[in-house]
Amino acid sequence: MSSNLKKICCIGAGYVGGPTMAVIADKCPNLNVTVVDINKERINLWNESDTSNLPIYEPGLADIIKRCRGKNLFFSNKVEENIADSDMIFISVNTPTKKKGLGAGKASDLKWVESCARKVAKHSIGHTIVVEKSTLPVRTAEVIKTILEASKNTNSKKSINPTFAVLSNPEFLAEGTAINDLVNPDRVLIGGDNENAIQTLHEVYKNWVSEDKILHTNLWSSELAKLTANAFLAQRISSINSISAICESTGADVREVARAIGSDSRIGSKFLDSGPGFGGSCFKKDILNLVYLSEYFGLKEVAEFWEGVVQLNNWHQNRISQLVVKKLFGSVSGKKINILGFAFKSNTNDTRESSAIKICKKLLEEGAILYIHDPKVEEKQIENDLKITFNMKRNEDLSPNLHNNEVEGSWKKVNNLSEAFLDSDAVLVLTEWEEYTKINWLDVASQMRFPAWIFDSRSIIDPIKVKEAGLNFWRIGDGT
Ligand code: UDX
Ligand code: UDX
C-alpha cells in the first residue's frame, strides 16, 4: 500500500458507491473510507444499526457493513469536510439521461459530476487524486480536469495551492451480484496519464485483485470501454429477445437455440437468457450516450446501429403487454392480473428502467386490475414508478375478487402470495425471484378464474406443473 494514501472519500452513497467502498474498506483495513452523500435520509439509513434497513439491497453487503462500519468505513453528510481530509476522491454520483436542452433524451446530464468537481476544487487541500467511478461520456475527464485546473487560480486563500490528478476507474459490477463482482472482478480498469496516481489506485486493488487483472489504459479508452461493455451486453439481450419472437412464430424454442449457440466458445453461454427486455440504470442510458457521441462525430450509421438495440428493447417490452391482452380475448379491462416481480432483475430492490414499469403501465391503460408482488421493492417505489407519466389511480381498498368497471386500471401491492391469486385471470412473471419457482400451481389454479393464463417472461416456471394444474401457459420464445 502506498504510504501516502490514508483516506478515501466517495461522493455518492448509491448502488455503486455504497457496495464499492464497503469492499475497499473490507479489503484494505489500513485505509479510512468515507462515503458522503447530499441525501441525508440515505446516509441515515446507511448508518442505521439495523442493517436490514440499508438503502439498497445487495446479497452479502450487510455482513461487510457490520464488519467495517465505524472502524474504517463511515457514511456522512459532511461532503466538504471529507473532501478536505481525503487523498483520493471517487465521484460516484448519478448521471441520468438529459430530459431537456441540448442532447435531450440521449446525452447524460453531467450537472452532478460537474458540481462534485467544483466542490472538490474548492475544498481539497494538497494533492488529490480524483477518480471517475460513475459511467460517463467519453472525454468527461477533460471537463473535470478543466474545473480542477481553473480552481488553482482562484484559491489564493488556501495556504497550499492544491494539485490534482484525474483517473477513470469504471465499475463493472452488476446489481444483485455486486459484492461477488467486486471481490472477484474479471478485470479492474484504470485509465489515466499520471503514473503516480495510477500506481496509487493500482496498489489499492492489489490488496485483493491479482495484478494481471488490473488493466491500465489512457483516460478516453477507459471511459469508452465502459460504455462499450454495457452496449455489447445490452446488444446480446436484444439479439436473443429478437430471436425469441422468431421462435414463437416458427415452432423453435429460444432456450434450445441459446444453448446451441452458447456452446460455441466464440459466442459463449452467458447473457443469452431471453426475458421481458433489459432494464437497470445503465444499459439504455449508456447506449443512448454512445448514440449521442456517434451523432456528434457525424457517424450516422454507427448511431443508428446502436439505437436499434434500444428500439428492439422497447418493441419487445410492448410485445409482451400486447400478447397478454391478445391471449385474454383481446381485453384485460376489469380483469385481475398478478404481476410477479417489479425489480429489473432478481436480488435487487432497484426498479430503474425495469421492464415491469412499461408493461404494467400498458396493462393499466388497457384497464387491467394489477396485483403486484415483489419481495424487495417497496410499495412507495412502485407508486413513484407507475405515476411518472401515467396518472393511474391506486385503489387501497381493492378486495381480491373485484371484477368491475369502477376499479379498472388500478393496482395494489400484494405482500402475501398465498392469497394473491383469488379470482385472478392471469399471472405474469416479470422478475426471476427464486420464490416464484416454488409456487404450487395446483393451489394457484384452485383460486383463479378460468380460463386462466400463466405468462412466464423469465423461463423460471415448470411448464408441466402449470399445464397439469389445468392452466394455460405461455413462456418467452416457446414456439413448441
Ligand atoms: C450509478 C453510477 O455511478 C452511474 O455511473 C451509473 O451510470 C448510474 O448509476 P448509482 O450508484 O446507481 O449510480 O446511483 P444512485 O443510486 O442514484 O446514487 C447516486 C448518489 O449520489 C445518490 O445517493 C445522490 O444523492 C448522490 N449525489 C448526487 C450526491 O451525493 N451529490 C451530488 O451532487 C449528486
Ligand atoms: C449492468 C452490467 O452487467 C454491469 O457490468 C454494469 O456495471 C452495470 O450494468 P446491471 O444493470 O446491474 O449491470 O444488471 P445485468 O445483470 O447486466 O442485467 C441488466 C438487465 O438485463 C436486467 O434487466 C436483466 O434481467 C437483463 N438480462 C440480463 C436478460 O434479460 N438476460 C440475460 O441473459 C442477462
Side-chain angles (χ1 to χ4, degrees):
M1 173 76 54
S2 158
S3 56
N4 293 334
L5 186 66
K6 293 192 178 60
K7 179 162 173 178
I8 289 181
C9 169
C10 172
I11 311 179
Y15 283 89
V16 173
T20 308
M21 292 304 124
V23 168
I24 290 183
D26 199 29
K27 298 292 181 187
C28 311
N30 298 330
L31 281 179
N32 175 317
V33 180
T34 303
V35 191
V36 296
D37 201 295
I38 49 173
N39 183 335
K40 279 210 173 86
E41 204 185 328
R42 213 167 206 190
I43 289 297
N44 290 343
L45 288 172
W46 280 109
N47 281 326
E48 263 202 23
S49 51
D50 180 0
T51 48
S52 61
N53 288 334
L54 292 178
I56 66 172
Y57 172 71
E58 198 57 69
L61 176 63
D63 291 338
I64 302 184
I65 299 295
K66 278 184 211 151
R67 271 203 300 276
C68 302
R69 195 175 55 191
K71 291 187 186 130
N72 69 329
L73 175 65
F74 305 91
F75 295 90
S76 165
N77 284 122
K78 295 184 176 143
V79 180
E80 288 80 9
E81 285 173 33
N82 280 290
I83 287 174
D85 277 359
S86 298
D87 313 304
M88 180 180 276
I89 296 170
F90 286 80
I91 298 183
S92 189
V93 295
N94 37 336
T95 50
T97 304
K98 273 181 89 171
K99 290 208 173 84
K100 54 185 180 187
L102 191 65
K106 287 185 186 147
S108 277
D109 192 340
L110 294 182
K111 69 177 172 192
W112 300 120
V113 172
E114 194 183 321
S115 117
C116 287
R118 288 183 194 282
K119 279 184 198 160
V120 173
K122 189 165 174 200
H123 299 285
S124 56
I125 295 167
H127 183 67
T128 307
I129 300 172
V130 179
V131 185
E132 295 178 338
K133 198 46 143 171
S134 302
T135 306
L136 297 165
V138 184
R139 300 201 82 90
T140 303
E142 192 82 20
V143 175
I144 297 177
K145 272 183 177 173
T146 308
I147 293 171
L148 297 174
E149 286 299 317
S151 78
K152 285 185 185 170
N153 310 323
T154 54
N155 278 344
S156 51
K157 282 190 225 138
K158 285 189 186 171
S159 50
I160 309 163
N161 218 359
T163 53
F164 301 98
V166 178
L167 299 177
S168 159
N169 173 223
E171 187 44 67
F172 294 97
L173 66 82
E175 287 175 32
T177 52
I179 301 303
N180 186 49
D181 296 344
L182 286 159
V183 172
N184 304 299
D186 286 342
R187 78 313 210 175
V188 166
L189 190 52
I190 304 177
D193 50 21
N194 181 315
E195 272 313 313
N196 280 336
I198 292 173
Q199 206 47 42
T200 307
L201 186 55
H202 183 110
E203 295 286 322
V204 172
Y205 284 109
K206 209 177 93 179
N207 283 288
W208 78 98
V209 180
S210 71
E211 290 199 75
D212 57 326
K213 288 188 174 172
I214 308 178
L215 314 181
H216 298 187
T217 66
N218 76 29
L219 268 173
W220 326 127
S221 303
S222 173
E223 289 176 332
L224 184 58
K226 171 67 195 191
L227 291 183
T228 308
N230 277 348
F232 268 56
L233 290 168
Q235 171 268 120
R236 249 174 107 85
I237 298 168
S238 278
S239 298
I240 198 69
N241 284 341
S242 75
I243 299 300
S244 77
I246 302 184
C247 287
E248 288 165 34
S249 302
T250 56
D253 183 324
V254 75
R255 284 147 293 271
E256 292 182 355
V257 175
R259 199 174 72 229
I261 63 166
S263 338
D264 185 325
S265 59
R266 292 168 304 174
I267 295 175
S269 61
K270 291 184 183 161
F271 250 71
L272 283 179
D273 293 329
S274 183
F278 58 76
S281 70
C282 292
F283 281 178
K284 187 170 154 201
K285 171 172 72 69
D286 291 351
I287 292 181
L288 292 178
N289 228 308
L290 211 52
V291 170
Y292 183 69
L293 198 75
S294 309
E295 282 171 353
Y296 179 83
F297 288 108
L299 304 167
K300 182 171 153 281
E301 286 75 8
V302 179
E304 283 170 2
F305 173 75
W306 287 111
E307 196 158 20
V309 174
V310 175
Q311 281 165 356
L312 193 288
N313 199 50
N314 292 337
W315 171 81
H316 185 72
Q317 290 165 333
N318 280 335
R319 183 173 94 79
I320 290 176
S321 55
Q322 279 172 12
L323 189 142
V324 171
V325 177
K326 277 190 199 148
K327 297 273 188 206
L328 297 182
F329 308 118
S331 170
V332 292
S333 187
K335 290 183 182 165
K336 175 174 165 183
I337 302 177
N338 291 98
I339 301 294
L340 298 189
F342 201 79
F344 80 98
K345 61 189 276 193
S346 62
N347 291 320
T348 177
N349 59 347
D350 194 349
T351 63
R352 287 177 290 181
E353 299 293 339
S354 176
S355 295
I357 301 174
K358 229 181 234 172
I359 292 170
C360 287
K361 275 184 181 169
K362 287 274 178 206
L363 293 173
L364 289 169
E365 280 168 7
E366 294 269 355
I369 303 169
L370 302 184
Y371 281 62
I372 303 173
H373 177 272
D374 191 290
K376 290 291 171 198
V377 177
E378 306 219 339
E379 184 162 7
K380 202 169 63 182
Q381 185 59 49
I382 298 177
E383 187 171 14
N384 281 343
D385 290 334
L386 290 182
K387 77 173 182 203
I388 293 170
T389 56
F390 193 64
N391 196 16
M392 188 53 62
K393 60 178 175 280
R394 196 180 120 216
N395 195 332
E396 295 284 359
D397 308 318
L398 279 188
S399 79
N401 56 353
L402 277 178
H403 286 280
N404 65 44
N405 294 337
E406 282 167 44
V407 290
E408 275 179 18
S410 52
W411 68 275
K412 172 183 172 143
K413 166 104 199 275
V414 179
N415 295 321
N416 187 352
L417 270 189
S418 65
E419 290 157 13
F421 305 101
L422 191 59
D423 231 3
S424 195
D425 295 283
V427 175
L428 171 56
V429 179
L430 291 179
T431 312
E432 71 282 23
W433 287 104
E434 208 199 327
E435 64 179 278
Y436 302 151
T437 63
K438 297 182 182 139
I439 290 175
N440 181 331
W441 293 103
L442 275 174
D443 277 357
V444 173
S446 70
Q447 298 175 49
M448 292 181 81
R449 184 169 84 148
F450 274 60
W453 275 91
I454 309 303
F455 298 94
D456 179 11
S457 75
R458 291 288 189 171
S459 303
I460 56 167
I461 306 298
D462 183 345
I464 296 171
K465 290 197 172 132
V466 173
K467 287 177 192 163
E468 276 173 2
L471 297 159
N472 292 308
F473 186 65
W474 171 91
R475 75 175 162 167
I476 194 87
D478 192 345
T480 59

